[in-house]
Amino acid sequence: TWNPLSSYERWIAIVCITIVFLIAELNTFYLKFVLWIPPNHILNPVRLLFILLWGAVSLRETFQLLDDPNCDRLGRQSWVMIAIVVTELLICIKFGWSTITKPLPRHIALWWVLGAALLLLYTVVKFYLLKPYYIPRPEKENIRMGSPINTPAEHKGLPGEVDGHGHDVGKDNTEQAGDENSLSRAGLFTNQLREDKKDL
């Protein structure tokens, strides 16, 4: 899962992804107005289809960057997607500056300012004021690979393996194996003596 609240870096990454999505959606309407494209033109659904496909790959690469410790850079498709969205935004700014710079209605502008302020306040409170100073480490359990249901009946504990009562199963099995080896050696020695007596 994305776990946006697990760390400050993941939270900022989710916020940036949301901003890119909003800009891409906003470009859809501005490009139609600036380039004089009719709403029912084939370019509009084709563009949205390509944005959908590229966005899916970009999200996969972004998730791998956040979740995989061996991944240290953003994927190529993500950079391509960012470049496309920024290029569309620059086209809208270049040819529709008079439209973009029109002031928003007062009530809409107030809601946008309120939302941005709440987002900033939540980020500060969550990741700075209420940041835990001590994070307990998860307890390590002595678990062997495999399902206990499929464990064979002749399963022998490993050294250090403890049962439910705190008894060292591996130690007992090691001692039992040592006793069996001693008995087997004694039996071989007895058989050898009997064969020597027969020869005499």
Side-chain angles (χ1 to χ4, degrees):
T1 59
W2 287 89
N3 293 329
L5 300 179
S6 60
S7 65
Y8 176 73
E9 291 78 10
R10 295 178 79 95
W11 172 252
I12 294 299
I14 297 301
V15 172
C16 292
I17 291 173
T18 305
I19 292 174
V20 172
F21 269 120
L22 292 177
I23 294 176
E25 291 293 330
L26 188 63
N27 289 340
T28 302
F29 300 97
Y30 274 112
L31 286 174
K32 288 191 297 184
F33 177 78
V34 171
L35 301 179
W36 295 357
I37 300 177
N40 56 354
H41 197 277
I42 189 62
L43 285 178
N44 295 318
V46 169
R47 174 189 172 274
L48 292 177
L49 177 62
F50 279 111
I51 290 293
L52 174 64
L53 298 177
W54 289 329
V57 179
S58 302
L59 282 178
R60 173 64 180 84
E61 292 178 347
T62 306
F63 179 78
Q64 183 177 4
L65 176 65
L66 296 175
D67 200 64
D68 188 1
N70 297 324
C71 183
D72 57 352
R73 63 182 62 184
L74 196 60
R76 297 178 181 177
Q77 296 300 323
S78 300
W79 287 113
V80 171
M81 186 65 191
I82 294 174
I84 291 173
V85 173
V86 172
T87 302
E88 290 180 347
L89 180 61
L90 292 177
I91 292 174
C92 296
I93 294 175
K94 172 68 175 180
F95 299 101
W97 182 253
S98 59
T99 303
I100 295 177
T101 54
K102 286 184 177 180
L104 293 174
R106 184 178 181 85
H107 61 284
I108 296 179
L110 288 177
W111 279 111
W112 275 104
V113 172
L114 179 61
L118 290 177
L119 181 63
L120 181 60
L121 179 63
Y122 178 80
T123 302
V124 173
V125 172
K126 173 66 178 179
F127 297 102
Y128 286 95
L129 298 182
L130 299 180
K131 182 179 180 180
Y133 293 97
Y134 172 74
I135 300 177
R137 295 182 179 180
E139 297 181 358
K140 294 184 179 180
E141 299 180 359
N142 197 353
I143 301 176
R144 299 183 72 252
M145 296 300 293
S147 174
I149 298 177
N150 299 326
T151 303
E154 60 274 8
H155 162 69
K156 297 181 178 181
L158 297 176
E161 186 174 355
V162 181
D163 60 3
H165 302 285
H167 194 63
D168 194 345
V169 181
K171 182 179 180 181
D172 293 345
N173 290 330
T174 304
E175 294 176 354
Q176 183 179 359
D179 295 340
E180 292 177 356
N181 291 333
S182 300
L183 292 175
S184 62
R185 290 175 183 175
L188 291 175
F189 181 71
T190 304
N191 294 332
Q192 184 67 31
L193 289 177
R194 290 176 181 175
E195 291 179 1
D196 292 341
K197 290 181 180 179
K198 289 180 181 179
D199 294 339
L200 294 175

